[in-house]
Amino acid sequence: MKLGKPTRRQFLIAGGAVAGGALLIGYASSGPSRRAQADAAASAGGERFVTTWLKIAPDNTVTVYVPHADMGQGTITALAMMAAEELDADWSLVRAEQAPAESAFANESLGNRFVPGDGVPPMLKGVNAAAWYQVAKFMSLQITGGSMAVRYTGQHGMRTTGAAAKEMLLKAAASRWNCSPSDCTAAMSMVTGPKGETATYGELAADAAEYSPSASPKLKSRSEYKIVGTPRPRFDIPGKVDGSAKYGIDARPEGLLYAAVRLGPVSRSTVVSYDASQVLSRRGVKKVVEFPGGVAVVADNYWRAKEAAAALDVEFDAGDKVNVSSETIFAAQAEALSRETDEDKEVGDAASVFSSAPETEGAEIVSAEYRVPYLAHACMEPMNCTVWIRDGKADVWVGVQDPLGTRARIADVTGIDFDNVTVHPMLLGGGFGRRIPLREGFFDFPSEIDFAAIIAKEVDAPVKLVYSREDDIQHDAYRPAVTSRIRAVVGPDGYPTAYENLYVYKDDPEEAPHIPYGIANQSIRYAEVPTHIPRGPWRSVAHTQHTFFSESFFDELAHRAGKDPLEYRLALLKDQPRHAAVLKLAAEKAGWGKKLPQGHYHGIAVQQSFGSIVAEVAEVSIEDGSPRIHRVVAAVDCGLVVHPDTAAQQVESGIIYGLTAALYGEISIENGAVVQTNFTDYEMLHLSECPEIEVHFVDSDAPIGGLGEPATPVVSAAVSNAIFAATGTRIRQLPFKLHDLSQVSDKFAQAAD
Amino acid sequence: MPISLTVNGKRHELDVEPEMPLLWVIRDELGLTGTKFGCGIAACGACTVHVDGVATRTCVTPVEVVDGAEITTIEALAASSGAGEGELSALQAAWVAKQVPQCGYCQSGMLMAVSALLAENPQPTDEDIDAAITNVCRCGTYPRIRAAIREVTSA
């Protein structure tokens, strides 16, 4: 049985029969206050507010609705496994789908953790203004980001949903057989009674729907798991090898037209003038539409629209933003860090240790300034959004990390009522933080979603707006360019007694600039240096820069002390056994300290982010002045590993994403605009350069950690530290391509001779 | 003059501008969306199809250049490899076995590029693979792509 297009009403019923006798169940995992609000808002006649859902059909198939976008992380499969495990379902009968963009599917376990006043990460701040506009009462969050799906939705939502459904099925069976539920057992989508009676879940579903789901069903212990912890084939793979998978860019509603844009090169420029008649007579061109910051050409084929848009003479005004360049931005950051900074974290009394250092016997101050550039996300699927507005209603086809927020956004931009906006979630050709339309300052960062909606209002047909790769590279919300000044007071034993980090931009997650190392006196401070360049979350967000800074700096201190970088870290991690364990495991598997092929060197780094700890050892040589990365060994403590194969895949993926940025990633600003245009000057790692990657998981009973991001930030420091080992050159500015290592490597080779 | 193409075994007479890139003919005129737009400058390979058996980046290939050609897109890769109805080619099956795709967007182009390589060179060295497969993947599926290729070449 197919559920078809759900009505909102259906989804607000927690346990209940739907057409065909199916059981539909969900469960809210909220804390007491939110839960009460949710029940008050949504319940009537014993109904309960729900968050994640299972559907059991008469043919005994189970469908799990997952309130997250799957961008290739395997989320939908992993979450379905967590629900199916507790349900004791026959995995061969389990299906999974991304939940519709309906409030009832909101990811409440995420919303609950970040309710206002409870430390809302900047990445989600836009939510207060937009997604919650419709339903503060429903906690309408459907965001995929922050490596949160498995550790919040899965752990708190899916498991409980599955367990509650199983209890309802057992009650239904017990009633049928006149026995107690405890006399019945559930396994492989079948309930067995005390006298050997059997009934499939599908046969019991309609009866089970008569019961209310328990608020606290009994959950399995890890030792009872049969599905979780095994590598089940992902549901999304088959469609991705035969061309049938449909991404946002593949939407083809009847009568579709295509839009291409001309955006002012400088973000938030205004359109001064253009002459639509230049292109209106071209073949296939239907209309020219102006929107804030640009002009769109609508045509019956994307290439015709794109060619026409390119042929338009458009004059833009960017005001004094044209005076901004990477140089002025870094100069402003340097200046800001020399002035008064704001407190991030203070431990002990670092200031006095620094001020008394010159008079302290054997103490020395070590300082270094690090810098990283802006980075674009460069998802393989260029940004796009298809909108059809008719009869006061909007249909939207788009692949986003927040379908519900997108729906609210479209409603806002078009003035159409939220209930009359339908978002058809499509697959995402990459996300990495780019496809979250709601973010701090979002209203200052108009994106393709807004533009598509504005254009569609002017056209009597569905319109698919597609960014060119150039639009995508030049009109992103970027990982910011960041400067960090780090100092340490080092004692005669080579270990720091005080640590100071002055950096720009306090970002998400707020602990990213903090270090795991046991140093009695720490002063971590920041300055805000606003620019007009839009900022956005980029895979692992602030960890990308801070891990490079601090893990490079501690490597500097280790070498300066004449100590092994692994041993040096371990000495400072006596109170951090999980960090020490992953470092040791990565080092052991990589053969740290053992003989490497001639010209090969190791570098190591570690970081905790999004609840997981990752250590990486990179094996690097220098070829023609550039680093060649041969092998990366990662050791990961993410608590329980739900799906070992996709977990390893996410670590591989994170390493390659981080390595690409470390080697090549640089968005630079000139005359207020982004210089880079496409993959020719915003370069990508290719198959030929891809290192061998090995991933090892620590057997851990720590709480479940995220995996989409934590492998990314570590690799830049691991490789940079290997480059130092190879050349004696400390790289304090990314990307590596800026540095010609041929001279130093030769010199180093000679010195070694 | 209409342009004539045979795409996945079906002949099409098309009244389009001769300079329109083959990509947009395939996607927007013929509605075959398995072939992807990635960069528009032949730098990423997401738009790769077979033109008379040769891997070709269609985003910079004017349709007039392939007038009269036999074109195979991802939708017909299995059929063109001799797989039966509803079956996958050995290469696609290896992709499933190794669980290669993540977001999957680049995988059509990857499969078309790799299948063309293997048709010409059934036992490529790692260097052959490095030289021929210059498609971009942002999710970092490269290690599994190599493993999946090895699944069919070492067989």
Side-chain angles (χ1 to χ4, degrees), chain A residues 559-585:
Chain A
H559 284 285
R560 200 189 152 281
K563 296 191 192 299
D564 175 272
L566 168 66
E567 297 303 327
Y568 189 85
R569 283 175 171 79
L570 292 175
L572 291 169
L573 289 169
K574 295 208 169 75
D575 299 330
Q576 302 282 5
R578 292 178 70 204
H579 287 74
V582 291
L583 277 168
K584 285 178 191 163
L585 181 62

PDB file of all heavy atoms in Angstrom, chain A residues 559-585:
ATOM      1  N   HIS A 559      57.954  19.777  18.315  1.00  0.00           N
ATOM      2  CA  HIS A 559      59.250  19.789  17.620  1.00  0.00           C
ATOM      3  C   HIS A 559      60.242  20.702  18.331  1.00  0.00           C
ATOM      4  O   HIS A 559      61.429  20.396  18.447  1.00  0.00           O
ATOM      5  CB  HIS A 559      59.069  20.223  16.161  1.00  0.00           C
ATOM      6  CG  HIS A 559      58.493  19.143  15.297  1.00  0.00           C
ATOM      7  ND1 HIS A 559      59.220  18.064  14.859  1.00  0.00           N
ATOM      8  CD2 HIS A 559      57.227  18.953  14.822  1.00  0.00           C
ATOM      9  CE1 HIS A 559      58.448  17.266  14.129  1.00  0.00           C
ATOM     10  NE2 HIS A 559      57.231  17.782  14.098  1.00  0.00           N
ATOM     11  N   ARG A 560      59.717  21.835  18.809  1.00  0.00           N
ATOM     12  CA  ARG A 560      60.578  22.789  19.500  1.00  0.00           C
ATOM     13  C   ARG A 560      61.164  22.146  20.765  1.00  0.00           C
ATOM     14  O   ARG A 560      62.315  22.373  21.130  1.00  0.00           O
ATOM     15  CB  ARG A 560      59.743  24.015  19.871  1.00  0.00           C
ATOM     16  CG  ARG A 560      60.567  25.244  20.150  1.00  0.00           C
ATOM     17  CD  ARG A 560      59.703  26.344  20.713  1.00  0.00           C
ATOM     18  NE  ARG A 560      60.532  27.197  21.557  1.00  0.00           N
ATOM     19  CZ  ARG A 560      60.891  26.894  22.775  1.00  0.00           C
ATOM     20  NH1 ARG A 560      60.473  25.775  23.330  1.00  0.00           N
ATOM     21  NH2 ARG A 560      61.666  27.717  23.470  1.00  0.00           N
ATOM     22  N   ALA A 561      60.336  21.327  21.415  1.00  0.00           N
ATOM     23  CA  ALA A 561      60.794  20.664  22.641  1.00  0.00           C
ATOM     24  C   ALA A 561      61.658  19.449  22.332  1.00  0.00           C
ATOM     25  O   ALA A 561      62.159  18.789  23.248  1.00  0.00           O
ATOM     26  CB  ALA A 561      59.571  20.236  23.462  1.00  0.00           C
ATOM     27  N   GLY A 562      61.807  19.134  21.058  1.00  0.00           N
ATOM     28  CA  GLY A 562      62.601  17.977  20.663  1.00  0.00           C
ATOM     29  C   GLY A 562      61.918  16.665  21.020  1.00  0.00           C
ATOM     30  O   GLY A 562      62.576  15.658  21.266  1.00  0.00           O
ATOM     31  N   LYS A 563      60.587  16.711  21.071  1.00  0.00           N
ATOM     32  CA  LYS A 563      59.854  15.503  21.458  1.00  0.00           C
ATOM     33  C   LYS A 563      59.031  14.967  20.288  1.00  0.00           C
ATOM     34  O   LYS A 563      58.654  15.708  19.379  1.00  0.00           O
ATOM     35  CB  LYS A 563      58.933  15.818  22.647  1.00  0.00           C
ATOM     36  CG  LYS A 563      59.696  16.227  23.895  1.00  0.00           C
ATOM     37  CD  LYS A 563      58.780  16.266  25.100  1.00  0.00           C
ATOM     38  CE  LYS A 563      59.419  16.935  26.302  1.00  0.00           C
ATOM     39  NZ  LYS A 563      60.625  16.272  26.800  1.00  0.00           N
ATOM     40  N   ASP A 564      58.739  13.702  20.362  1.00  0.00           N
ATOM     41  CA  ASP A 564      57.883  13.061  19.369  1.00  0.00           C
ATOM     42  C   ASP A 564      56.478  13.686  19.452  1.00  0.00           C
ATOM     43  O   ASP A 564      55.901  13.771  20.547  1.00  0.00           O
ATOM     44  CB  ASP A 564      57.822  11.559  19.683  1.00  0.00           C
ATOM     45  CG  ASP A 564      56.858  10.833  18.770  1.00  0.00           C
ATOM     46  OD1 ASP A 564      55.656  10.761  19.113  1.00  0.00           O
ATOM     47  OD2 ASP A 564      57.308  10.351  17.722  1.00  0.00           O
ATOM     48  N   PRO A 565      55.911  14.115  18.316  1.00  0.00           N
ATOM     49  CA  PRO A 565      54.603  14.812  18.370  1.00  0.00           C
ATOM     50  C   PRO A 565      53.489  13.970  18.976  1.00  0.00           C
ATOM     51  O   PRO A 565      52.577  14.518  19.592  1.00  0.00           O
ATOM     52  CB  PRO A 565      54.316  15.131  16.898  1.00  0.00           C
ATOM     53  CG  PRO A 565      55.658  15.155  16.238  1.00  0.00           C
ATOM     54  CD  PRO A 565      56.492  14.125  16.957  1.00  0.00           C
ATOM     55  N   LEU A 566      53.550  12.657  18.798  1.00  0.00           N
ATOM     56  CA  LEU A 566      52.544  11.798  19.423  1.00  0.00           C
ATOM     57  C   LEU A 566      52.742  11.775  20.942  1.00  0.00           C
ATOM     58  O   LEU A 566      51.789  12.003  21.704  1.00  0.00           O
ATOM     59  CB  LEU A 566      52.634  10.372  18.856  1.00  0.00           C
ATOM     60  CG  LEU A 566      51.842   9.303  19.608  1.00  0.00           C
ATOM     61  CD1 LEU A 566      50.338   9.569  19.501  1.00  0.00           C
ATOM     62  CD2 LEU A 566      52.182   7.903  19.086  1.00  0.00           C
ATOM     63  N   GLU A 567      53.985  11.525  21.380  1.00  0.00           N
ATOM     64  CA  GLU A 567      54.261  11.447  22.819  1.00  0.00           C
ATOM     65  C   GLU A 567      53.965  12.779  23.499  1.00  0.00           C
ATOM     66  O   GLU A 567      53.466  12.825  24.623  1.00  0.00           O
ATOM     67  CB  GLU A 567      55.729  11.050  23.059  1.00  0.00           C
ATOM     68  CG  GLU A 567      56.089   9.662  22.532  1.00  0.00           C
ATOM     69  CD  GLU A 567      55.199   8.564  23.141  1.00  0.00           C
ATOM     70  OE1 GLU A 567      54.797   8.705  24.322  1.00  0.00           O
ATOM     71  OE2 GLU A 567      54.907   7.588  22.434  1.00  0.00           O
ATOM     72  N   TYR A 568      54.301  13.871  22.806  1.00  0.00           N
ATOM     73  CA  TYR A 568      54.073  15.206  23.361  1.00  0.00           C
ATOM     74  C   TYR A 568      52.577  15.410  23.625  1.00  0.00           C
ATOM     75  O   TYR A 568      52.173  15.854  24.704  1.00  0.00           O
ATOM     76  CB  TYR A 568      54.594  16.257  22.377  1.00  0.00           C
ATOM     77  CG  TYR A 568      54.606  17.668  22.909  1.00  0.00           C
ATOM     78  CD1 TYR A 568      55.682  18.136  23.672  1.00  0.00           C
ATOM     79  CD2 TYR A 568      53.555  18.543  22.640  1.00  0.00           C
ATOM     80  CE1 TYR A 568      55.702  19.444  24.145  1.00  0.00           C
ATOM     81  CE2 TYR A 568      53.568  19.842  23.112  1.00  0.00           C
ATOM     82  CZ  TYR A 568      54.646  20.294  23.866  1.00  0.00           C
ATOM     83  OH  TYR A 568      54.668  21.584  24.333  1.00  0.00           O
ATOM     84  N   ARG A 569      51.754  15.041  22.632  1.00  0.00           N
ATOM     85  CA  ARG A 569      50.304  15.190  22.808  1.00  0.00           C
ATOM     86  C   ARG A 569      49.813  14.305  23.969  1.00  0.00           C
ATOM     87  O   ARG A 569      49.007  14.739  24.797  1.00  0.00           O
ATOM     88  CB  ARG A 569      49.578  14.818  21.521  1.00  0.00           C
ATOM     89  CG  ARG A 569      49.652  15.904  20.449  1.00  0.00           C
ATOM     90  CD  ARG A 569      49.006  15.404  19.152  1.00  0.00           C
ATOM     91  NE  ARG A 569      48.873  16.480  18.171  1.00  0.00           N
ATOM     92  CZ  ARG A 569      49.867  16.917  17.406  1.00  0.00           C
ATOM     93  NH1 ARG A 569      51.087  16.387  17.531  1.00  0.00           N
ATOM     94  NH2 ARG A 569      49.669  17.898  16.530  1.00  0.00           N
ATOM     95  N   LEU A 570      50.266  13.059  23.966  1.00  0.00           N
ATOM     96  CA  LEU A 570      49.797  12.128  25.005  1.00  0.00           C
ATOM     97  C   LEU A 570      50.128  12.654  26.402  1.00  0.00           C
ATOM     98  O   LEU A 570      49.333  12.508  27.336  1.00  0.00           O
ATOM     99  CB  LEU A 570      50.401  10.736  24.798  1.00  0.00           C
ATOM    100  CG  LEU A 570      49.910   9.986  23.540  1.00  0.00           C
ATOM    101  CD1 LEU A 570      50.677   8.668  23.367  1.00  0.00           C
ATOM    102  CD2 LEU A 570      48.402   9.734  23.599  1.00  0.00           C
ATOM    103  N   ALA A 571      51.291  13.308  26.523  1.00  0.00           N
ATOM    104  CA  ALA A 571      51.681  13.846  27.835  1.00  0.00           C
ATOM    105  C   ALA A 571      50.719  14.943  28.286  1.00  0.00           C
ATOM    106  O   ALA A 571      50.515  15.141  29.483  1.00  0.00           O
ATOM    107  CB  ALA A 571      53.111  14.380  27.768  1.00  0.00           C
ATOM    108  N   LEU A 572      50.123  15.641  27.310  1.00  0.00           N
ATOM    109  CA  LEU A 572      49.187  16.723  27.659  1.00  0.00           C
ATOM    110  C   LEU A 572      47.735  16.239  27.721  1.00  0.00           C
ATOM    111  O   LEU A 572      46.823  17.025  27.954  1.00  0.00           O
ATOM    112  CB  LEU A 572      49.297  17.852  26.631  1.00  0.00           C
ATOM    113  CG  LEU A 572      50.609  18.663  26.655  1.00  0.00           C
ATOM    114  CD1 LEU A 572      50.690  19.564  25.432  1.00  0.00           C
ATOM    115  CD2 LEU A 572      50.706  19.491  27.932  1.00  0.00           C
ATOM    116  N   LEU A 573      47.526  14.954  27.459  1.00  0.00           N
ATOM    117  CA  LEU A 573      46.156  14.421  27.397  1.00  0.00           C
ATOM    118  C   LEU A 573      45.894  13.393  28.499  1.00  0.00           C
ATOM    119  O   LEU A 573      45.090  12.485  28.324  1.00  0.00           O
ATOM    120  CB  LEU A 573      45.907  13.769  26.019  1.00  0.00           C
ATOM    121  CG  LEU A 573      45.791  14.746  24.849  1.00  0.00           C
ATOM    122  CD1 LEU A 573      45.829  13.989  23.518  1.00  0.00           C
ATOM    123  CD2 LEU A 573      44.516  15.586  24.937  1.00  0.00           C
ATOM    124  N   LYS A 574      46.574  13.578  29.632  1.00  0.00           N
ATOM    125  CA  LYS A 574      46.421  12.583  30.704  1.00  0.00           C
ATOM    126  C   LYS A 574      44.980  12.505  31.204  1.00  0.00           C
ATOM    127  O   LYS A 574      44.538  11.456  31.655  1.00  0.00           O
ATOM    128  CB  LYS A 574      47.372  12.922  31.853  1.00  0.00           C
ATOM    129  CG  LYS A 574      48.837  12.797  31.425  1.00  0.00           C
ATOM    130  CD  LYS A 574      49.744  12.458  32.603  1.00  0.00           C
ATOM    131  CE  LYS A 574      51.125  12.081  32.128  1.00  0.00           C
ATOM    132  NZ  LYS A 574      51.909  13.256  31.685  1.00  0.00           N
ATOM    133  N   ASP A 575      44.250  13.632  31.079  1.00  0.00           N
ATOM    134  CA  ASP A 575      42.851  13.618  31.530  1.00  0.00           C
ATOM    135  C   ASP A 575      41.869  13.375  30.387  1.00  0.00           C
ATOM    136  O   ASP A 575      40.665  13.588  30.547  1.00  0.00           O
ATOM    137  CB  ASP A 575      42.509  14.960  32.199  1.00  0.00           C
ATOM    138  CG  ASP A 575      43.377  15.201  33.422  1.00  0.00           C
ATOM    139  OD1 ASP A 575      43.767  14.202  34.060  1.00  0.00           O
ATOM    140  OD2 ASP A 575      43.680  16.378  33.697  1.00  0.00           O
ATOM    141  N   GLN A 576      42.372  13.003  29.236  1.00  0.00           N
ATOM    142  CA  GLN A 576      41.501  12.810  28.075  1.00  0.00           C
ATOM    143  C   GLN A 576      41.744  11.427  27.480  1.00  0.00           C
ATOM    144  O   GLN A 576      42.333  11.285  26.403  1.00  0.00           O
ATOM    145  CB  GLN A 576      41.812  13.893  27.007  1.00  0.00           C
ATOM    146  CG  GLN A 576      41.651  15.323  27.478  1.00  0.00           C
ATOM    147  CD  GLN A 576      40.206  15.761  27.530  1.00  0.00           C
ATOM    148  OE1 GLN A 576      39.298  14.964  27.300  1.00  0.00           O
ATOM    149  NE2 GLN A 576      39.973  17.021  27.830  1.00  0.00           N
ATOM    150  N   PRO A 577      41.272  10.402  28.169  1.00  0.00           N
ATOM    151  CA  PRO A 577      41.580   9.034  27.703  1.00  0.00           C
ATOM    152  C   PRO A 577      41.044   8.715  26.307  1.00  0.00           C
ATOM    153  O   PRO A 577      41.642   7.934  25.584  1.00  0.00           O
ATOM    154  CB  PRO A 577      40.923   8.146  28.769  1.00  0.00           C
ATOM    155  CG  PRO A 577      39.939   9.012  29.485  1.00  0.00           C
ATOM    156  CD  PRO A 577      40.476  10.414  29.409  1.00  0.00           C
ATOM    157  N   ARG A 578      39.908   9.307  25.945  1.00  0.00           N
ATOM    158  CA  ARG A 578      39.353   8.995  24.612  1.00  0.00           C
ATOM    159  C   ARG A 578      40.248   9.589  23.526  1.00  0.00           C
ATOM    160  O   ARG A 578      40.460   8.973  22.473  1.00  0.00           O
ATOM    161  CB  ARG A 578      37.929   9.519  24.477  1.00  0.00           C
ATOM    162  CG  ARG A 578      36.916   8.804  25.372  1.00  0.00           C
ATOM    163  CD  ARG A 578      35.530   9.410  25.234  1.00  0.00           C
ATOM    164  NE  ARG A 578      34.915   9.144  23.942  1.00  0.00           N
ATOM    165  CZ  ARG A 578      33.962   9.900  23.399  1.00  0.00           C
ATOM    166  NH1 ARG A 578      33.504  10.973  24.027  1.00  0.00           N
ATOM    167  NH2 ARG A 578      33.454   9.594  22.212  1.00  0.00           N
ATOM    168  N   HIS A 579      40.742  10.814  23.761  1.00  0.00           N
ATOM    169  CA  HIS A 579      41.672  11.402  22.791  1.00  0.00           C
ATOM    170  C   HIS A 579      42.930  10.539  22.678  1.00  0.00           C
ATOM    171  O   HIS A 579      43.421  10.254  21.581  1.00  0.00           O
ATOM    172  CB  HIS A 579      42.078  12.818  23.213  1.00  0.00           C
ATOM    173  CG  HIS A 579      41.019  13.848  23.032  1.00  0.00           C
ATOM    174  ND1 HIS A 579      39.927  13.942  23.853  1.00  0.00           N
ATOM    175  CD2 HIS A 579      40.907  14.847  22.119  1.00  0.00           C
ATOM    176  CE1 HIS A 579      39.170  14.962  23.460  1.00  0.00           C
ATOM    177  NE2 HIS A 579      39.737  15.519  22.405  1.00  0.00           N
ATOM    178  N   ALA A 580      43.448  10.155  23.846  1.00  0.00           N
ATOM    179  CA  ALA A 580      44.685   9.369  23.848  1.00  0.00           C
ATOM    180  C   ALA A 580      44.476   8.053  23.111  1.00  0.00           C
ATOM    181  O   ALA A 580      45.343   7.599  22.351  1.00  0.00           O
ATOM    182  CB  ALA A 580      45.130   9.124  25.298  1.00  0.00           C
ATOM    183  N   ALA A 581      43.306   7.445  23.312  1.00  0.00           N
ATOM    184  CA  ALA A 581      43.052   6.140  22.691  1.00  0.00           C
ATOM    185  C   ALA A 581      43.035   6.232  21.166  1.00  0.00           C
ATOM    186  O   ALA A 581      43.607   5.372  20.487  1.00  0.00           O
ATOM    187  CB  ALA A 581      41.727   5.570  23.210  1.00  0.00           C
ATOM    188  N   VAL A 582      42.383   7.255  20.614  1.00  0.00           N
ATOM    189  CA  VAL A 582      42.343   7.342  19.147  1.00  0.00           C
ATOM    190  C   VAL A 582      43.715   7.697  18.587  1.00  0.00           C
ATOM    191  O   VAL A 582      44.106   7.208  17.525  1.00  0.00           O
ATOM    192  CB  VAL A 582      41.260   8.330  18.618  1.00  0.00           C
ATOM    193  CG1 VAL A 582      39.865   7.787  18.873  1.00  0.00           C
ATOM    194  CG2 VAL A 582      41.419   9.728  19.172  1.00  0.00           C
ATOM    195  N   LEU A 583      44.463   8.527  19.313  1.00  0.00           N
ATOM    196  CA  LEU A 583      45.818   8.854  18.855  1.00  0.00           C
ATOM    197  C   LEU A 583      46.679   7.595  18.790  1.00  0.00           C
ATOM    198  O   LEU A 583      47.376   7.340  17.806  1.00  0.00           O
ATOM    199  CB  LEU A 583      46.468   9.874  19.792  1.00  0.00           C
ATOM    200  CG  LEU A 583      46.120  11.349  19.562  1.00  0.00           C
ATOM    201  CD1 LEU A 583      46.606  12.189  20.740  1.00  0.00           C
ATOM    202  CD2 LEU A 583      46.716  11.866  18.252  1.00  0.00           C
ATOM    203  N   LYS A 584      46.589   6.809  19.841  1.00  0.00           N
ATOM    204  CA  LYS A 584      47.411   5.598  19.897  1.00  0.00           C
ATOM    205  C   LYS A 584      46.997   4.604  18.809  1.00  0.00           C
ATOM    206  O   LYS A 584      47.844   3.977  18.179  1.00  0.00           O
ATOM    207  CB  LYS A 584      47.291   4.927  21.275  1.00  0.00           C
ATOM    208  CG  LYS A 584      48.059   5.653  22.366  1.00  0.00           C
ATOM    209  CD  LYS A 584      47.835   4.927  23.689  1.00  0.00           C
ATOM    210  CE  LYS A 584      48.355   5.751  24.864  1.00  0.00           C
ATOM    211  NZ  LYS A 584      47.793   5.268  26.129  1.00  0.00           N
ATOM    212  N   LEU A 585      45.688   4.485  18.608  1.00  0.00           N
ATOM    213  CA  LEU A 585      45.213   3.529  17.607  1.00  0.00           C
ATOM    214  C   LEU A 585      45.633   3.964  16.190  1.00  0.00           C
ATOM    215  O   LEU A 585      46.111   3.149  15.394  1.00  0.00           O
ATOM    216  CB  LEU A 585      43.689   3.390  17.685  1.00  0.00           C
ATOM    217  CG  LEU A 585      43.046   2.404  16.703  1.00  0.00           C
ATOM    218  CD1 LEU A 585      43.550   0.980  16.935  1.00  0.00           C
ATOM    219  CD2 LEU A 585      41.519   2.440  16.810  1.00  0.00           C
TER     220      LEU A 585
END
